[in-house]
Amino acid sequence: MTLKIGRQGYLGLGIESQAGTAVPATTAVPFVTNSLLGKHNPQEDIAARGSRAQNYTSIIGKQWSEGEVDVNLDLTNAGFFLKLALGNEVLSNPATGVYDHLFYTTVSGNNPLTATLYNYTGLDVQQFASMAVDKLDLDVKDTFMVAKASFKGFFPTSGAYSATTVSGSLVNFGKYNLKLGSTLALAEVATATPVTEFSLSINNNAEVVFESGKSTASRVFWKQFKVTGSFTKYFESVSERDSYLNLVKSSMILTASGVNLVPGYNEELKINIAKMVYNDQSLATGLENYFAVKTNFTAEVDVTQGKQFDMTLRNTRDSVYT
């Protein structure tokens, strides 16, 4: 048998129209980390039998799948993860050959979507149905912006998938900026706030459910939805410190840009947080380093602006993500 290295693996993804009903893959995911696995928790009989031996037998217990897939975020394929995490997508066409994909959650709360994943790890392809994004992290420091998707879903079965080649513009620290203001409209026209690192976490609190009649997970449900994050900047202003101490809430817009599409339009990822509260802060430095302040925030629903959080992906894809 010929051995294969990790980069010879591949992962296919298709968004399910009905949770749990497997669909063919519509894209390949160029990952940097992939820990998807079927999980099994055998149920052990450890009843006393007049012996020091604890284990005599076991039977099949709960069976499900979970794992994390990390990708260098690009401005075409990111839409698959964003739609899975947020659930809603609206497509618009602001210019010829330019398309905006708005991903959002409703204020009343909607469910995310599920995917079928096809995972090749050097020997065979396993099919993972009803895979939900439990948590999606976006992180950028001094290299690429990385998306980290933690999945939970059904126990894997045998599948079939052949790798395809996908491409898109990558985002790194030199291609994004962050703006703050008392409203999104004011943040839009504000001067960019220079930061040294940024992170965002979309937490869906997904949970696989087990019901009578089978040992495998039967459904996936979602609990509370929460968006948190942090940013770090050199300590050259007391504005963030005072906002934290006095519960001054802000709107935030993060924009990450890619290649030019047509005059006046670039590829772009735009993150809107209507209202955020600074809920923790730290100011620490080594003796030979610069003072920097790290601010942790939580996104709140802003009734006045009619939203909590949304993301818009601008590219040349002329159809919704499926």
Side-chain angles (χ1 to χ4, degrees):
M1 180 181 295
T2 302
L3 297 180
K4 293 181 172 64
I5 61 173
R7 67 174 56 255
Q8 290 178 282
Y10 48 84
L11 182 67
L13 181 153
I15 297 177
E16 297 173 349
S17 55
Q18 182 175 344
T21 301
V23 297
T26 57
T27 189
V29 179
F31 58 82
V32 293
T33 299
N34 175 4
S35 63
L36 287 174
L37 283 174
K39 306 291 286 186
H40 177 215
N41 184 16
Q43 294 182 345
E44 301 173 336
D45 179 8
I46 58 172
R49 288 178 169 85
S51 168
R52 291 185 62 247
Q54 175 178 287
N55 296 85
Y56 272 75
T57 188
S58 60
I59 61 173
I60 291 176
K62 293 180 179 180
Q63 296 174 308
W64 74 101
S65 295
E66 63 182 51
E68 181 178 287
V69 177
D70 298 358
V71 302
N72 292 327
L73 186 140
D74 75 66
L75 297 175
T76 299
N77 300 300
F80 292 98
F81 282 5
L82 301 184
K83 188 168 184 177
L84 287 171
L86 298 178
N88 294 312
E89 178 185 5
V90 174
L91 178 66
S92 59
N93 181 208
T96 302
V98 179
Y99 297 89
D100 284 353
H101 304 260
L102 172 65
F103 304 100
Y104 66 98
T105 57
T106 59
V107 171
S108 58
N110 63 278
N111 285 336
L113 298 177
T114 57
T116 304
L117 302 178
Y118 295 85
N119 192 27
Y120 173 73
T121 53
L123 188 61
D124 63 353
V125 174
Q126 287 191 304
Q127 174 184 292
F128 298 76
S130 201
M131 297 299 285
V133 173
D134 176 42
K135 186 180 180 185
L136 179 64
D137 295 330
L138 301 179
D139 297 295
V140 58
K141 191 174 180 181
D142 55 2
T143 56
F144 291 120
M145 179 177 285
V146 176
K148 303 177 181 180
S150 297
F151 286 96
K152 292 181 179 179
F154 287 1
F155 198 61
T157 58
S158 178
Y161 174 67
S162 297
T164 58
T165 301
V166 297
S167 61
S169 299
L170 298 175
V171 174
N172 73 352
F173 70 98
K175 296 183 178 180
Y176 83 99
N177 62 63
L178 184 149
K179 295 183 177 182
L180 302 170
S182 57
T183 65
L184 288 171
L186 291 176
E188 189 77 61
V189 298
T191 300
T193 298
V195 298
T196 58
E197 58 184 85
F198 175 85
S199 68
L200 183 78
S201 293
I202 302 168
N203 198 331
N204 282 314
N205 285 287
E207 184 175 289
V208 291
V209 174
F210 298 89
E211 297 172 287
S212 59
K214 60 180 181 179
S215 59
T216 55
S218 58
R219 288 184 282 178
V220 179
F221 285 115
W222 296 269
K223 294 183 177 179
Q224 70 274 18
F225 173 75
K226 188 173 184 178
V227 177
T228 60
S230 68
F231 60 90
T232 302
K233 56 176 293 191
Y234 292 122
F235 190 49
E236 300 176 289
S237 166
V238 299
S239 58
E240 273 68 51
R241 185 190 67 188
D242 289 351
S243 293
Y244 165 60
L245 293 175
N246 297 293
L247 197 65
V248 177
K249 301 179 183 182
S250 302
S251 297
M252 174 191 288
I253 297 175
L254 182 144
T255 304
S257 299
V259 300
N260 182 253
L261 300 175
V262 298
Y265 293 88
N266 286 357
E267 286 184 314
E268 182 179 273
L269 171 64
K270 186 176 183 180
I271 301 172
N272 290 319
I273 298 177
K275 181 174 64 174
M276 61 179 184
V277 56
Y278 296 163
N279 49 24
D280 193 19
Q281 202 168 73
S282 59
L283 179 64
T285 183
L287 294 180
E288 307 304 330
N289 293 324
Y290 302 110
F291 281 104
V293 58
K294 180 177 182 179
T295 301
N296 298 317
F297 63 84
T298 298
E300 298 183 336
V301 174
D302 190 316
V303 177
T304 302
Q305 297 188 85
K307 67 174 69 176
Q308 177 184 13
F309 167 80
D310 62 40
M311 307 174 78
T312 299
L313 192 63
R314 174 172 290 170
N315 52 37
T316 59
R317 182 184 173 98
D318 61 0
S319 60
V320 297
Y321 286 84
T322 58

